[in-house]
């Protein structure tokens, strides 16, 4: 009958239309069969016939196919010597972990005794009862109370006579719906399954089919085994098979399982051979269930492995690529960019979390995992860090604060992670953590009181250990204690090898790194970044050896005092730029001149203020604390994000930008003398008009006062160092709507644009990235905001970028353009950037692989469309 498909290892050339009518579980079986592997034989009633089954006379049809099963298994259905048992598995297109099934069909008063000769009477009667229990629950829809009446009185160590009584009670309850005639029994079960499950939630699009398969048992004697294994290690990706087995036992979940490596070598070698064939056929890691019954080798089923790590998936794909089983593009397309986070950051060791209270929830800021003792302020954490180093104690610390600010960067830098209770994905702590490769999360439910926090009814005190897990794909978790970590190894986990493949499909549009420190540049180079797209120079001043001098410069009341402080800072800045240029040899390095509001560098806590006062008094004993406090207060602003920052500082205090530009050019000249090519790009932030960039680039003389432009500073330095000339560019960040709309005029003076989408999003929508999380959930609840605008570019921001790109290119056809906000690593945003004509995106170093994979996948998709 064409609607019943018999399968065994000889099955070949099954029509795809027929295969599609077998449901997921059925397709898994026939796929193994068509590979010529020793699948336990059976037959599948397809979805068309299953719908009509209650009206079909099944007995003769069943006898034909069961006859074939009897030949292959050397057993007989209903036999009094060696009975064949069957199972029925429901199979539809609904992807569920376990499909409903009925086992041990063929049990009756005669066969249960014959079966017991092989497995023991107690097991045999237990399986008979298992059959009837499943019929009651899954086919006949018997009320749980009725079932409890039958089995509720069974003692924990039931005797065979107890089980027999329960069997009799079930048979009496079923009446003529159950038969001792094994063919009638199977027929009633099949028709009952069709009646119960057709048009049920499991029957997606009338796809329900019924699979009848022989049962084989791993407890038929010493030469019998049962178990399952994966085609390779699902955590490390190593090609050795991984799994468990039982010897002369039936249930892998309740028996005493042993490692698959301890099974007889002939079986292990056979499993390995099958594993390689199965991986090549399905092009992925699979889980295989097997039974060896009296030496006869059978595969029961195979399925996907949902719990495999990204590392394992990538290593399997790379192996298949080397064997030319799959193409390079196939391998690249199979990995989602966000999956790479698993390979880039530490993860919690699942074997170490048992018994440790954990609270799930919050906002992922920077992915990874971290363990450490908690401290609630930057000074306290830094003090503990220094103390721990001196005494050789644990330096793993976690910073916990309501929110972080510029002066907390140094604490985030030495800490393993940071937890805040205010802000969101694009607030200060997550942004800094991503740039430093640290772990960060926001937990709004956390209540900080003094030197402790409360969460989920548990209080954590300063110095206590916590562990945080921040995956990309689900909510972060705080463990209230110390757990274990698994550290990433880029050379062994397949990431570098995978990125080598990805690199072949990058094309002209590429990725740069946001990096302020040499370590950022080194990571960026490892990940093949095409330069530094954003160096935030303000981060460089938070070094302990610099911050006091920088603060001294800020509160100076005269240009002469500021220049004295800047003269001390100049060699430090030059050293910073020298290191970055040298590491990124020949690649562009975009240095953003000072952007942060000056008051952000001033002390925010009383402890920090006291340290600063002591420093200032060491410089001049006549300085009074009240004067210092008053001067700091004078520099504070009501709305600093839109206040005295960026190029506005460069206009009011041009000596600051002069020092930075001199440091850039001096570092470049030093390297030129060493024979190293450098490509500095000087970026002017928060520009709103062409007049600002013209002023800073070209300088100005007015009423006896001269402000040096970048060009003038370059000419001075080149002459001092005896260099013929120096290649450099001046550009601007487009981060205000006014700048986007005026891009045509700005491009007359800017040789490149970098779209700062964090600030452009804030100024376009009037949103604060640090505060918007307080109302985002409600907006999402009422569908007022479809997504987080600090993760995905909003349509209005896209329009501004598109307008700016077009107008900028009309003024300067060869202008370079990039995007350097936190949006840069998101593939959805990258697609837009490519379509808008930008040249690159720039993102935190550890997001470079994600961005590169996104670009490669877009390019592959475009290639495939062109070939169609």
């Amino acid at each position: 009958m064409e609607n019943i498909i018999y399968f065994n290892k000889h099955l070949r050339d099954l029509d795809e239309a027929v295969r599609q009518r077998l449901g997921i579980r059925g397709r898994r079986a026939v796929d193994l069969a068509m590979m010529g592997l020793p699948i336990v034989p059976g037959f599948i009633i397809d979805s068309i016939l299953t719908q009509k089954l209650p009206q079909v006379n099944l007995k003769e049809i069943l006898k034909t196919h069961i006859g074939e099963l009897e030949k292959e298994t050397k057993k007989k259905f209903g036999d009094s010597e060696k009975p064949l048992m069957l199972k029925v598995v429901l199979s539809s297109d609904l992807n569920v972990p376990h499909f409903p099934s009925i086992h041990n069909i063929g049990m009756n008063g005669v066969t249960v005794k014959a079966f017991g000769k092989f497995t023991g009477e107690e097991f045999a009667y237990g399986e008979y009862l298992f059959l009837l229990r499943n019929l009651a629950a899954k086919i006949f829809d018997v009320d749980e109370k009725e079932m409890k009446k039958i089995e509720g009185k069974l003692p924990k160590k039931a005797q065979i006579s107890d089980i027999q009584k329960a069997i009799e009670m079930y048979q009496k309850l079923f009446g003529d719906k159950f038969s001792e005639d094994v063919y009638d029994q199977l027929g009633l079960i099949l028709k009952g399954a069709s009646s119960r499950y057709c048009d049920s939630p499991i029957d997606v699009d009338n796809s329900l089919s019924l699979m009848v398969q022989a049962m084989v048992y791993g407890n038929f004697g010493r030469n019998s085994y049962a178990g399952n294994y994966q085609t390779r290690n699902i955590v490390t990706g190593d090609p050795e098979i991984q799994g468990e087995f039982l010897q002369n036992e039936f249930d892998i979940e309740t028996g005493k399982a042993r490692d698959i490596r301890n099974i007889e070598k002939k079986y292990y070698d056979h499993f390995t051979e099958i594993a390689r064939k199965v991986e090549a056929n399905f092009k992925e890691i699979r889980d295989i269930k097997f039974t060896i019954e009296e030496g006869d080798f059978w595969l029961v089923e195979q399925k996907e492995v949902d719990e495999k790590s990204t590392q394992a998936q990538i290593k399997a794909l790379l192996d298949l690529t080397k064997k030319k089983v799959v193409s390079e593009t196939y391998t690249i397309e199979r990995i989602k960019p966000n999956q790479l986070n698993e390979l880039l950051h530490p993860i919690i060791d699942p074997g170490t979390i048992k018994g440790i209270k954990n609270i799930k929830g919050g906002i992922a800021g920077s992915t990874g995992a971290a363990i450490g003792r908690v401290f609630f302020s930057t000074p306290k954490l830094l003090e503990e860090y220094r103390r721990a180093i001196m005494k050789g104690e644990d330096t793993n610390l976690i910073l916990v604060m309501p929110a972080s600010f510029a002066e907390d960067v140094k604490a985030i830098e030495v800490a393993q992670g940071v937890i805040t209770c205010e802000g969101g994905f694009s607030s200060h702590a997550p942004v800094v953590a991503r740039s430093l490769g640290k772990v960060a999360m926001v937990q709004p439910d956390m209540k900080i009181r003094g030197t402790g926090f409360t969460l989920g009814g548990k209080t954590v005190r300063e110095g206590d250990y916590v562990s945080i897990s921040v995956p990309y794909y689900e909510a972060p978790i705080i463990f209230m204690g110390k757990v274990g970590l698994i550290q990433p190894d880029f050379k062994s986990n397949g990431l570098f090898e995978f990125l080598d493949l990805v690199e072949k499909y990058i094309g002209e549009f590429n990725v740069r790194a946001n990096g302020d420190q040499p370590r950022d540049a080194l990571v960026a180079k490892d990940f093949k970044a095409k330069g530094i797209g954003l160096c935030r120079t303000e981060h460089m001043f938070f070094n302990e050896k610099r911050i006091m001098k920088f603060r001294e410069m800020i509160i100076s009341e005269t240009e002469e005092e500021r220049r004295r402080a800047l003269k001390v800072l100049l060699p430090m800045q030059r050293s910073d730029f020298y290191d970055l240029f040298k590491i990124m040899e020949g690649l562009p390095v975009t240095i953003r001149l000072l952007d942060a509001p000056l008051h952000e560098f001033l002390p925010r806590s009383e402890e920090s203020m006291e340290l600063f006062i002591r420093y200032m008094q060491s410089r001049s004993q006549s300085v009074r604390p009240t004067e210092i406090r008053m001067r700091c207060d004078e520099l504070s602003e009501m709305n600093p994000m839109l206040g005295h920052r960026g190029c506005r500082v460069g206009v009011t205090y041009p000596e600051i930008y002069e020092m930075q530009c001199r440091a850039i050019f001096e570092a470049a000249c030093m390297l030129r003398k060493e024979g190293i090519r450098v490509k500095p790009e000087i970026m002017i932030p928060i520009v709103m008009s062409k007049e600002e960039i013209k002023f800073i680039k070209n300088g100005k003389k007015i009423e006896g006062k001269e402000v040096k432009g970048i060009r003038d500073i370059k000419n001075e330095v080149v002459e001092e160092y005896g260099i013929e000339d120096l290649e450099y560019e001046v550009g601007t960040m487009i981060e205000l709507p006014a700048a986007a709309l005026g891009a045509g005029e700005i491009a007359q003076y800017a040789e490149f644009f970098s779209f700062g989408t964090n600030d452009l999003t804030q100024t376009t929508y009037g949103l604060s990235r640090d505060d918007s999380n307080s109302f985002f959930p409600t907006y999402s609840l009422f569908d007022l905001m479809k997504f987080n605008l600090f993760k995905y570019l909003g349509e209005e921001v896209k329009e501004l970028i598109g307008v700016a790109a077009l107008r900028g290119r009309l003024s300067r056809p060869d202008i370079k353009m990039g995007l350097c906000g936190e949006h840069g690593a998101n593939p959805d945003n990258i697609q837009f950037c490519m379509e808008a004509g930008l040249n690159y995106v720039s993102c935190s170093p550890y997001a470079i692989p994600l961005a590169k994979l996104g670009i490669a996948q877009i390019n592959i998709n475009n290639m495939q469309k062109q070939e169609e």
Side-chain angles (χ1 to χ4, degrees):
M1 191 173 186
E2 64 179 14
N3 295 109
I4 299 182
I5 293 82
Y6 187 87
F7 62 88
N8 61 11
K9 65 181 180 181
H10 303 296
L11 178 67
R12 297 292 183 275
D13 303 324
L14 183 65
D15 183 81
E16 182 58 24
V18 175
R19 180 178 172 277
Q20 289 301 320
R21 300 200 300 266
L22 307 182
I24 292 173
R25 183 67 176 80
R27 289 193 289 273
R28 288 177 184 167
V30 298
D31 287 347
L32 271 181
M34 287 191 290
M35 290 175 64
L37 296 176
I39 178 78
V40 178
F43 55 91
I44 304 168
I45 301 168
D46 76 2
S47 57
I48 295 174
L49 184 57
T50 296
Q51 303 288 326
K52 306 172 184 175
L53 217 53
Q55 291 79 45
V56 177
N57 185 351
L58 281 174
K59 198 161 190 174
E60 292 306 314
I61 299 171
L62 293 175
K63 282 186 176 180
T64 302
H65 294 294
I66 289 173
E68 292 298 315
L69 294 179
E70 290 174 336
K71 290 176 189 175
E72 291 198 56
T73 60
K74 303 168 195 168
K75 300 175 185 176
K76 288 201 174 220
F77 196 41
D79 190 45
S80 60
E81 296 297 324
K82 194 174 185 181
L84 170 67
M85 300 297 170
L86 303 174
K87 65 180 175 184
V88 169
V89 181
L90 278 68
S91 176
S92 76
D93 288 340
L94 180 68
N95 197 352
V96 292
H98 302 287
F99 288 92
S101 58
I102 304 295
H103 289 223
N104 307 312
I105 299 167
M107 282 284 189
N108 61 25
V110 174
T111 58
V112 68
K113 293 176 181 177
F115 184 68
K117 292 176 184 176
F118 296 93
T119 64
E121 271 194 310
E122 186 176 338
F123 178 83
Y125 278 99
E127 289 298 285
Y128 194 176
L129 180 60
F130 182 65
L131 163 68
L132 299 176
R133 182 188 303 128
N134 276 298
L135 287 177
K138 298 177 182 179
I139 303 296
F140 302 140
D141 202 17
V142 174
D143 187 273
E144 281 188 32
K145 292 179 182 178
E146 290 294 322
M147 294 175 66
K148 281 184 180 179
K149 286 180 184 177
I150 295 173
E151 296 194 53
K153 296 178 181 178
L154 280 174
K156 286 186 179 179
K157 293 185 179 180
Q159 301 296 313
I160 292 174
S161 58
D162 297 320
I163 299 171
Q164 286 173 326
K165 287 177 184 176
I167 289 170
E168 289 170 6
M169 292 174 73
Y170 269 123
Q171 288 175 330
K172 185 177 179 182
L173 178 68
F174 294 159
D176 58 8
K177 290 188 288 186
F178 180 81
S179 175
E180 289 267 307
D181 180 291
V182 292
Y183 283 97
D184 287 342
Q185 185 185 119
L186 176 60
L188 286 165
I189 291 170
L190 289 170
K191 290 186 176 187
S194 172
S195 299
R196 169 92 187 266
Y197 291 100
C198 282
D199 296 324
S200 72
I202 198 175
D203 186 16
V204 178
D205 298 327
N206 294 324
S207 62
L208 184 67
S209 64
L210 297 172
M211 181 171 75
V212 180
Q213 191 175 22
M215 288 197 69
V216 287
Y217 297 85
N219 59 342
F220 262 44
R222 292 296 304 165
N223 200 21
S224 295
Y225 305 83
N228 71 288
Y229 68 94
Q230 292 84 42
T231 53
R232 66 175 60 222
N233 189 295
I234 64 171
V235 174
T236 67
D238 294 338
E240 289 76 23
I241 61 173
Q242 167 190 355
E244 297 177 321
F245 76 97
L246 302 170
Q247 184 173 9
N248 198 23
E249 291 186 74
F250 179 67
D251 191 344
I252 192 75
E253 294 186 7
T254 59
K256 295 178 182 177
R258 295 159 62 191
D259 193 298
I260 196 75
R261 290 173 293 185
N262 296 323
I263 204 167
E264 287 184 52
K265 187 176 184 303
K266 65 177 180 179
Y267 294 135
Y268 183 86
D269 291 345
H270 195 21
F271 291 150
T272 301
E273 180 187 357
I274 289 171
R276 300 287 75 83
K277 289 179 180 177
V278 168
E279 268 195 4
N281 183 79
F282 295 102
K283 303 175 184 176
E284 66 174 3
I285 303 170
R286 304 295 272 199
D287 182 272
I288 299 171
K289 188 176 181 180
F290 68 89
T291 297
I292 300 169
E293 186 182 81
E294 295 184 300
D296 290 335
F297 190 98
W298 299 105
L299 300 183
V300 179
E301 65 169 312
Q302 57 79 26
K303 61 182 180 180
E304 302 90 342
V305 180
D306 293 330
E307 63 271 25
K308 61 182 175 290
S309 70
T310 296
Q311 175 174 324
Q313 185 181 3
I314 284 179
K315 285 184 130 182
L317 287 167
L318 289 171
D319 285 350
L320 293 171
T321 306
K322 289 173 193 169
K323 295 173 185 175
K324 301 196 181 304
V325 174
V326 300
S327 66
E328 291 177 345
T329 56
Y330 180 93
T331 293
I332 292 168
E333 287 180 296
R334 285 303 169 278
I335 303 297
K336 295 177 182 176
N338 291 335
Q339 285 183 256
L340 295 182
N341 279 299
E342 278 188 39
L343 277 66
L344 289 161
H345 305 285
I347 58 172
I348 297 291
D349 183 348
T352 65
I353 63 176
K354 188 175 181 181
I356 296 179
K357 181 178 174 63
N358 66 84
I359 291 95
K360 186 173 185 177
I363 300 164
S366 181
T367 51
I371 299 164
R373 291 175 291 138
V374 299
F375 288 88
F376 293 84
S377 71
T378 287
K380 195 74 177 175
L381 185 139
L382 293 175
E383 179 188 337
E384 177 59 25
Y385 184 72
R386 288 190 289 268
R387 191 197 67 78
I389 289 176
M390 289 175 61
K391 296 201 170 184
E393 296 177 358
D394 187 4
T395 57
N396 291 315
L397 310 174
I398 289 178
L399 181 64
V400 179
M401 306 183 78
S404 71
F405 298 93
E407 72 170 358
D408 302 310
V409 170
K410 52 188 180 291
I412 298 173
E413 188 175 357
V414 303
Q416 298 301 306
V418 54
I419 310 171
T420 58
C421 55
E422 298 172 6
F425 176 79
S426 294
S427 55
H428 184 266
V431 169
V432 173
R434 287 195 289 275
S435 72
L436 296 172
K438 303 292 183 175
V439 186
M441 64 175 288
V442 181
Q443 174 48 272
D445 297 332
M446 178 176 67
K447 306 298 181 188
I448 299 174
R449 294 182 178 86
T451 56
F453 76 80
T454 304
L455 180 65
K458 186 171 175 64
T459 298
V460 174
R461 301 291 182 193
E462 193 158 76
D464 290 348
Y465 275 96
V466 300
S467 307
I468 55 176
S469 174
V470 188
Y472 194 92
Y473 45 84
E474 59 183 33
I477 303 172
I478 297 179
F479 294 88
M480 302 300 196
K482 190 175 182 180
V483 302
L485 286 185
I486 299 173
Q487 296 290 344
D489 182 340
F490 303 149
K491 291 180 180 177
S492 66
N493 68 12
L495 179 62
F496 282 158
E497 191 177 348
F498 180 68
L499 289 178
D500 286 340
L501 276 190
V502 168
E503 200 66 29
K504 296 180 182 181
Y505 298 88
I506 291 296
E508 293 183 6
F509 188 93
N510 218 304
V511 185
R512 296 189 190 182
N514 297 344
D516 321 317
Q517 305 291 337
R519 64 168 176 271
D520 300 331
L522 290 168
V523 172
K525 206 159 186 183
D526 280 343
F527 292 145
K528 297 182 172 61
K530 291 302 179 184
I532 299 288
L534 175 62
C535 170
R536 303 177 179 95
T537 54
E538 55 269 16
H539 288 180
M540 295 171 167
F541 294 113
F542 283 104
N543 182 290
E544 282 185 88
K545 296 177 181 177
R546 305 181 189 187
I547 186 61
M548 294 303 185
K549 180 60 67 174
F550 196 72
R551 286 171 174 168
E552 179 186 346
M553 185 274 297
I554 292 171
I555 69 167
S556 298
E557 299 201 52
T558 68
E559 181 180 336
E560 184 183 354
E561 290 175 348
R562 282 192 295 275
R563 284 190 178 276
R564 276 201 302 268
L566 289 167
K567 189 175 180 180
V568 176
L569 291 167
L570 172 63
M572 300 176 187
Q573 278 271 270
R574 182 176 60 217
S575 173
D576 294 331
F577 301 142
Y578 177 92
D579 290 339
L580 287 177
F581 290 152
K582 191 168 186 176
I583 293 167
M584 305 308 292
E585 179 180 1
L587 294 171
V589 176
T590 306
I591 297 171
R592 183 178 73 187
L593 300 180
L594 189 70
D595 180 37
L598 291 180
H599 90 278
E600 284 200 4
F601 295 91
L602 297 176
R604 300 187 69 88
S605 68
E606 183 58 32
E607 195 170 355
S608 295
M609 180 61 77
E610 290 292 339
L611 289 171
F612 182 46
I613 290 170
R614 284 201 293 272
Y615 166 80
M616 289 299 295
Q617 289 180 327
S618 73
R619 304 283 298 154
S620 173
Q621 292 184 352
S622 63
V623 176
R624 290 181 298 176
T626 53
E627 291 175 1
I628 298 171
R629 291 178 187 274
M630 189 179 299
R631 181 64 178 141
C632 290
D633 289 341
E634 287 172 0
L635 289 167
S636 66
E637 297 180 75
M638 295 298 291
N639 191 356
M641 194 204 83
L642 300 177
H644 194 193
R645 59 174 286 205
C647 70
R648 298 158 194 173
V649 171
V651 172
T652 54
Y653 302 134
E655 55 273 16
I656 296 177
Y657 276 14
E658 181 183 334
M659 180 277 287
Q660 290 193 293
C661 290
R662 174 167 278 277
I664 291 168
F665 292 132
E666 287 187 2
C669 287
M670 290 167 66
L671 288 164
R672 275 286 298 277
K673 285 195 163 188
E674 295 175 24
I676 295 173
R677 182 167 169 259
V678 295
K679 293 179 69 176
E681 296 179 348
I682 300 173
M683 185 158 67
I684 303 169
I686 298 290
V687 163
M688 59 183 174
S689 69
K690 68 175 182 179
E691 282 77 16
E692 291 168 317
I693 187 169
K694 179 183 176 183
F695 176 85
I696 292 170
K697 184 178 182 182
N698 298 340
K700 199 159 189 172
K701 291 181 181 179
I702 186 169
E703 296 179 359
K705 182 174 175 63
E706 180 183 356
V707 174
K708 292 179 185 177
I710 294 173
R711 178 182 56 197
D712 303 319
I713 301 164
K714 186 270 298 184
N715 290 337
E716 284 182 7
V717 173
V718 165
E719 186 176 344
E720 290 171 15
Y721 277 79
I723 301 293
E724 187 175 332
D725 203 358
L726 196 64
E727 179 187 358
Y728 76 103
E729 290 182 353
V730 175
T732 184
M733 290 193 87
I734 303 293
E735 48 196 328
L736 300 173
L741 296 174
E745 290 189 331
I746 291 172
Q748 295 171 19
Y749 299 95
E751 292 154 298
F752 66 88
F753 286 166
S754 183
F755 291 96
T757 50
N758 290 340
D759 275 340
L760 188 56
T761 296
Q762 293 191 99
T763 53
T764 298
Y765 297 105
L767 291 174
S768 164
R769 68 184 185 184
D770 296 312
D771 303 313
S772 55
N773 192 56
S774 62
F775 59 85
F776 266 5
T778 307
Y779 267 57
S780 297
L781 176 66
F782 294 112
D783 294 325
L784 302 180
M785 193 176 288
K786 293 179 181 177
F787 45 76
N788 186 339
L789 293 167
F790 293 104
K791 281 189 179 182
Y792 301 92
L793 291 171
E795 291 305 315
E796 294 80 7
V797 170
K798 287 181 181 178
E799 186 174 352
L800 285 170
I801 293 172
V803 167
L806 177 61
R807 293 180 182 178
R809 205 175 289 112
L810 286 172
S811 289
R812 189 184 290 270
D814 63 346
I815 193 168
K816 288 187 302 184
M817 293 181 284
L819 183 149
C820 67
E822 288 298 315
H823 298 87
N826 187 311
D828 293 329
N829 300 330
I830 290 172
Q831 174 90 49
F832 163 75
C833 292
M834 296 173 77
E835 292 169 355
L838 274 59
N839 304 101
Y840 65 90
V841 291
S842 186
C843 54
S844 59
Y846 287 96
I848 291 167
L850 284 68
K852 280 186 172 278
L853 178 55
I855 293 167
Q857 290 178 343
I858 291 166
N859 287 335
I860 289 168
N861 185 49
N862 291 338
M863 286 164 43
Q864 291 169 345
K865 285 179 180 177
Q866 290 172 5
E867 291 169 1
E868 289 176 357

